[in-house]
Amino acid sequence: MSEAELHAGLNSAWPTFADGEHSTSTLSLDNWLERALGSADTELSPIAFDSNIDSVISRREFDVRFAAVFERLDKDENGELTRAELLFTPARASRQSSSQSGGRAREGRPRGRPQRQ
């Protein structure tokens, strides 16, 4: 996705949830984010958009926040987001605990499926 495609998408999305041409409420934005992203558990929250903390999201705040996200994801800084740049690998708890214990499994901890007795 290019920056131009991002802006075109934002231009078409804004009227679908905005309370006006130039601003919207944090609640309207929150509802749209959940519908657009499929979950309320995302990095993007209305608070992240509201840079002046007035409980109103201006169109400028909306555009600036998405531009910052685009810039952060564009690892090679070529103005295009590739599929590889959009993929996230969550840290696994087992890898974290393994690295904290020096890479060894904890003794006494059963591995694999439990045996039936």
Side-chain angles (χ1 to χ4, degrees):
M1 170 192 346
S2 69
E3 286 183 80
E5 290 170 321
L6 170 67
H7 292 296
L10 296 178
N11 286 336
S12 67
W14 180 262
T16 67
F17 69 88
D19 301 329
E21 186 177 334
H22 302 289
S23 65
T24 192
S25 68
T26 54
L27 181 59
S28 293
L29 178 62
D30 190 42
N31 290 335
W32 176 77
L33 287 169
E34 187 170 352
R35 285 191 318 271
L37 301 176
S39 172
D41 298 325
T42 68
E43 167 186 332
L44 297 172
S45 73
I47 295 167
F49 286 83
D50 192 9
S51 61
N52 62 355
I53 312 168
D54 65 354
S55 297
V56 174
I57 310 301
S58 71
R59 178 59 200 262
R60 177 161 167 59
E61 288 173 317
F62 181 75
D63 290 342
V64 165
R65 179 66 179 139
F66 271 106
V69 170
F70 186 96
E71 185 178 318
R72 183 179 51 78
L73 293 174
D74 187 15
K75 303 262 189 270
D76 59 8
E77 301 176 355
N78 69 350
E80 298 270 334
L81 295 181
T82 63
R83 183 175 188 276
E85 289 171 322
L86 294 173
L87 294 177
F88 296 96
T89 306
R92 293 180 48 174
S94 62
R95 286 185 186 166
Q96 289 174 347
S97 65
S98 174
S99 66
Q100 291 171 354
S101 64
R104 295 180 298 250
R106 294 182 184 168
E107 290 185 34
R109 185 175 177 198
R111 299 184 76 174
R113 293 179 69 171
Q115 298 287 325
R116 283 194 162 183
Q117 295 181 4

